[in-house]
Amino acid sequence: MDIKIYDKLAKKYDLATKIVSFGIEEIWRKIFIKHIKKHIKNGVLIDLASATGGMAKLGFDKMYLVEPSSEMIKIMVEKFKKEGFEEEKFEVQFQEKPYIKLKKENKEIIILQSTAEDFEIDEKADLITAFMAFRNFDDIKKASVNIDRHLKEVGYLAVVEMVKSKSILAKLILWYMNNVVPLIAGLMLGMKEEYKMLGKSIDTLKEDDIIENFQNYEIIEKKKLLFPIASMIIMRKNGRKNS
Ligand SMILES: C[S@@+](CC[C@H](N)C(=O)[O-])C[C@H]1O[C@@H](n2cnc3c(N)ncnc32)[C@H](O)[C@@H]1O
């Protein structure tokens, strides 16, 4: 996905998402977090395509947020500072790409400017989350290999994604995303063409396009969220082979 679109959108991302989804995306996030917490309550989290950092609401003690857009990262950092996180200054970096470390009491947030395909972290995660993320990846196979490499042997991968669906309601929502949302985005943000492109990416993925990359994972939850266009899939590594 062209990161420039997200750079341009960053300042208005939260508000725009609320308006065009009628607040439903945040309801999806709440449901997602509730389901994740049934399986894993704390540990090391890696969140992919973090945008403005919404998945930090999971509140794990150590959270790595991976996001390629520098403008999104600026918004994230501002938000966390408002919540009382302080930026930790340090002299040595463990990798070439810059990262930002924020601390508040026993909580640590580390923000990396990178993609799902290329991020490098020198510890493995108990949980990797990808909320509305997969359809943005340029190379899902490469990203999946990288995800697997960064997940502990019994770690969890939790995904919410807009996927293809045959239901009439899903088709209506898709029509809304492709025809009405760009008009709203044009009036509100002057970003009609960008939202047209974002809308197009919604109808590209099937659940299986994600699941097929995680053959030795057990699917422990798979359900549609509120509207049939978004699917939640929670998998555990090294479980029974899924089919
Ligand atoms: C729809 S937003 C994700 C929403 C976010 N996960 C949340 O919790 O609100 C998509 C994000 O994917 C990022 N992105 C684009 N290409 C990416 C890639 N190859 N790897 C990781 N993130 C990517 C964009 O910069 C954008 O911030």
Side-chain angles (χ1 to χ4, degrees):
M1 178 64 73
D2 187 356
I3 301 306
K4 285 198 209 99
I5 296 181
Y6 283 109
D7 274 338
K8 196 170 163 194
L9 185 60
K11 281 201 180 85
K12 292 182 180 156
Y13 181 79
D14 287 341
L15 179 66
T17 306
K18 242 180 234 155
I19 293 174
V20 302
S21 79
F22 300 111
I24 286 164
E25 197 164 307
E26 275 316 296
I27 298 175
W28 282 341
R29 191 192 305 282
K30 277 194 187 133
I31 298 172
F32 186 41
I33 289 178
K34 204 168 136 207
H35 280 267
I36 289 173
K37 291 263 177 156
K38 282 197 295 188
H39 306 288
I40 175 162
K41 297 214 162 23
N42 206 344
V44 176
L45 164 76
I46 298 177
D47 177 54
L48 301 175
S50 298
T52 58
M55 285 314 296
K57 291 193 177 120
L58 268 163
F60 278 26
D61 288 345
K62 191 162 193 185
M63 299 188 280
Y64 290 92
L65 307 180
V66 178
E67 167 57 48
S69 154
S70 56
E71 295 302 314
M72 286 285 191
I73 289 180
K74 280 187 202 156
I75 305 291
M76 241 193 265
V77 172
E78 270 174 32
K79 269 170 70 173
F80 293 134
K81 285 189 175 167
K82 275 192 195 138
E83 288 171 20
F85 279 88
E86 282 179 16
E87 195 169 336
E88 201 169 87
K89 301 284 172 211
F90 48 88
E91 277 156 24
V92 185
Q93 297 197 342
F94 65 77
Q95 57 175 28
E96 284 165 30
K97 283 252 181 185
Y99 72 99
I100 297 165
K101 199 176 200 176
L102 297 145
K103 280 207 88 159
K104 181 177 155 188
E105 292 148 15
N106 62 336
K107 304 261 181 254
E108 196 170 273
I109 294 178
I110 298 141
I111 302 168
L112 284 96
Q113 188 180 357
S114 191
T115 61
E117 292 87 341
D118 293 325
F119 75 94
E120 286 278 347
I121 294 174
D122 63 356
E123 73 175 316
K124 293 196 179 199
D126 299 286
L127 167 69
I128 296 185
T129 47
F131 180 82
M132 302 292 177
F134 263 84
R135 69 173 185 278
N136 292 282
F137 302 163
D138 296 313
D139 185 338
I140 288 187
K141 285 219 173 328
K142 188 173 173 197
S144 302
V145 170
N146 206 19
I147 288 172
D148 185 61
R149 209 164 60 78
H150 281 88
L151 199 56
K152 286 183 186 168
E153 282 313 299
V154 283
Y156 291 85
L157 169 62
V159 177
V160 168
E161 195 48 81
M162 300 256 201
V163 288
K164 280 190 178 186
S165 162
K166 288 195 179 90
S167 91
I168 306 270
L169 183 56
K171 288 197 177 17
L172 266 175
I173 296 170
L174 199 66
W175 181 87
Y176 166 81
M177 301 293 279
N178 281 321
N179 297 285
V180 183
V181 167
L183 293 181
I184 302 174
L187 289 173
M188 256 182 62
L189 312 166
M191 291 185 71
K192 188 173 168 190
E193 290 312 311
E194 286 84 352
Y195 265 86
K196 263 191 190 162
M197 280 183 65
L198 293 178
K200 269 184 201 143
S201 71
I202 288 168
D203 198 26
T204 51
L205 271 189
K206 298 191 292 296
E207 280 175 356
D208 282 347
D209 297 332
I210 299 170
I211 292 169
E212 71 183 13
N213 293 297
F214 298 97
Q215 290 294 326
N216 61 333
Y217 286 55
E218 178 183 5
I219 297 173
I220 51 176
E221 287 204 51
K222 179 151 83 84
K223 66 191 298 260
K224 300 280 180 205
L225 289 184
L226 201 58
F227 288 112
I229 197 160
S231 281
M232 177 187 77
I233 309 162
I234 302 182
M235 293 178 258
R236 187 170 42 219
K237 191 168 170 176
N238 286 332
R240 156 174 61 77
K241 196 172 154 72
N242 67 55
S243 56

